[in-house]
Amino acid sequence: MNLLPATDDLTTTRTRRQSYLRAVGSTTLLLLAVADVLIAVANGKALWPVILLLSLGLAAVLWPAARRPAWLTPQLRAAVPAGVSLALTVAATTTERVRTFGPGEVAVLLCLLMIAVRTCSPRWALLCAVLTGGAVVAAPLRFHDAIAVEDALLFTLPMALLTGVFAGLGGYLRSLDHRRGVAVAETRRAERLAMAADLHDFVAHHVTGILVQTQMARMMAATETDRLDPVLAGIEHAATQALDSMRVTVGILRGGPEETARLKPGGNRPLGDLTALAELVDGFGVPTGPKAELHLDPVPGTLPPEVQAAAFRVVQEALTNVRRHAADATEVTVGLAHSDDTLRVTVGDNGRGGVPVPYAARGGGFGIVGLTERVAALGGTLRAGPRDDHGWEVVALLPAARRPDRL
C-alpha cells in the first residue's frame, strides 16, 4: 500500500510552490526599489545613482539562471552592486546630492550576500560576504552630517544584525546543498552498482554458458560431429538471451521502467521474478550439461517484487557458478520453500570441480559478494559452502513479508 503521492504530483507541486515564492520575492524587491526612487525624489536627491545601483542589483538577483551568461559569476554579481554602494557612501561625504538610502538597496544587497555565501567558492564567499556586508552596514553613515554620529552608528546595528542573519542563512543553504550533493552522488553510485550487478547477473550468466558450450563443441568437433548441432543451437540461444538482457539494461539506463517494458521481449513481465525461475532452471543443462531439477513448494503470490528478484538472482548466480566451477556435476537441485514469513532458496550440486573451464568464465568472485549485499539489504542472510558429502550449496533466507518502510 503506497501512502505517498505520485512522484509527478510531488514534482509539480514543488515547481508550482517555487514559482509562487519567486514571483512574491521578485515583486517585493521591485516594490522596495520603487520606494527607494520615491524617497530620493521626495528628498530632492539625484536619481541616477539610485537607478544605477538598483538596476545592477536587481539584474544580479533576478536574471534567470537559464539565460545568465557564464561570465556573470556569483562573485561578480555580488561585488559590482556592493562596490557601487560603497562608492556612493564615500561620495556622500562630499556631495549632498547622493545622500539617499532606502530599503530596496538593503534588500538587494542582502540577497546578493546570501547568494554569494551559498554558491561561491569558500575564498570568494568570504570576500563577497565582507564586501557586501560592509556595504550594507556602511550605508547609514551617508547621513553623518545630517544626524549625530551616535545616531548614525545606531542605524548600523540593525544593518549588521540583518547582515549576520542573511550570511547565516546562506551558510545554512550551502550546507543543505552540500548534503544534497553527497546524497545524489551516493544515489548515483548505488545505481551504478545496481547496473553492474544486473550486467553481471544477466549477461555474464549467458556468456558463461556460451564459453562452456563452445569449449565442449571444440572437443566434440573431431569425434562427435553428429551431436554438434544441439550444442551450437544452445550457443545461439544463450547469445540471443545475452543480447536481450543487454537491451533491457540499456533500456533502464536510457528511459527508465517504461522503456524497459517496451524493449523487453515476451511481454510486460519484469525480468527476475519467480515466474521466470522455471524457465531459468529448465534451460540450464540444455543441451549438454546436467539437468537441473526445481523443487518448488507453495509460495504466496504476494511476495514483494524485490524478494522475488533476489531469489531469482540467487538461483541464477548459483547456476552460473556450477558452470564455472563444477562442470563435472551430474545433479543440480533448486529448491524454494516458504515458512514463517521466510523464503528459503537452496541451490546444490554434486560436482567436484574436476573439469576445467575457460579462464574468462571463472569469474572474479563478484557474484557472491553482490548477492550477499542484495540479500542483506532486504534483511536476509546468504550462505555458500561445501556440502556434507561432496559438491556445493548456496542457501539464502529472505524475509517474505513486506517491510514497513516499503509500504
Side-chain angles (χ1 to χ4, degrees), residues 101-282:
F101 173 63
E105 178 183 350
V106 174
V108 167
L109 291 177
L110 289 176
C111 289
L112 292 175
L113 168 64
M114 182 178 64
I115 292 173
V117 173
R118 180 181 183 180
T119 58
C120 291
S121 62
R123 179 181 300 177
W124 278 110
L126 179 60
L127 293 176
C128 291
V130 172
L131 181 63
T132 311
V136 174
V137 174
L141 299 179
R142 297 171 189 172
F143 303 100
H144 68 283
D145 290 342
I147 59 177
V149 176
E150 294 79 4
D151 294 335
L153 293 176
L154 185 62
F155 275 106
T156 64
L157 292 180
M159 297 297 102
L161 179 61
L162 286 175
T163 299
V165 170
F166 274 77
L169 181 59
Y172 173 71
L173 294 176
R174 185 187 187 96
S175 67
L176 290 183
D177 293 339
H178 175 71
R179 294 176 186 175
R180 188 179 299 111
V182 171
V184 169
E186 289 296 325
T187 300
R188 290 177 176 173
R189 178 177 179 275
E191 290 175 350
R192 288 195 298 268
L193 291 176
M195 295 308 303
D198 287 340
L199 285 173
H200 178 277
D201 292 343
F202 286 109
V203 179
H205 173 78
H206 302 307
V207 172
T208 300
I210 293 173
L211 289 174
V212 172
Q213 293 182 75
T214 301
Q215 184 190 40
M216 187 167 295
R218 293 183 62 187
M219 291 189 301
M220 297 170 58
T223 59
E224 303 179 69
T225 55
D226 56 327
R227 296 178 55 192
L228 273 180
D229 187 67
V231 177
L232 296 176
I235 294 174
E236 179 183 10
H237 179 70
T240 302
Q241 289 183 316
L243 290 175
D244 288 341
S245 298
M246 183 67 73
R247 289 173 56 204
V248 172
T249 303
V250 173
I252 295 174
L253 288 172
R254 297 187 60 182
E258 295 82 2
E259 183 71 8
T260 302
R262 187 182 69 81
L263 290 174
K264 187 167 46 216
N268 293 325
R269 175 175 52 79
L271 289 174
D273 59 7
L274 295 186
T275 307
L277 197 57
E279 179 182 351
L280 174 67
V281 174
D282 289 341

Side-chain angles (χ1 to χ4, degrees), residues 49-92:
V50 178
I51 294 176
L52 174 63
L53 173 60
L54 293 176
S55 298
L56 292 174
L58 290 174
V61 175
L62 302 180
W63 199 319
R67 300 180 181 179
R68 189 181 303 145
W71 56 265
L72 192 57
T73 59
Q75 52 265 35
L76 182 63
R77 292 159 59 196
V80 172
V84 174
S85 177
L86 288 173
L88 290 179
T89 301
V90 173

Side-chain angles (χ1 to χ4, degrees), residues 282-364:
D282 289 341
F284 170 70
V286 178
T288 58
K291 184 68 175 177
E293 296 183 0
L294 175 62
H295 302 282
L296 183 60
D297 290 349
V299 176
T302 57
L303 286 177
E306 59 270 18
V307 173
Q308 297 190 44
F312 183 90
R313 298 296 179 85
V314 168
V315 175
Q316 186 179 54
E317 177 61 24
L319 294 179
T320 301
N321 285 337
V322 171
R323 281 202 181 110
R324 287 172 172 167
H325 308 293
D328 61 331
T330 58
E331 296 179 3
V332 180
T333 58
V334 178
L336 267 75
H338 177 267
S339 63
D340 299 330
D341 289 332
T342 299
L343 181 66
R344 179 184 177 91
V345 183
T346 306
V347 182
D349 66 83
N350 64 346
R352 300 178 182 270
V355 178
V357 295
Y359 177 79
R362 297 175 188 174

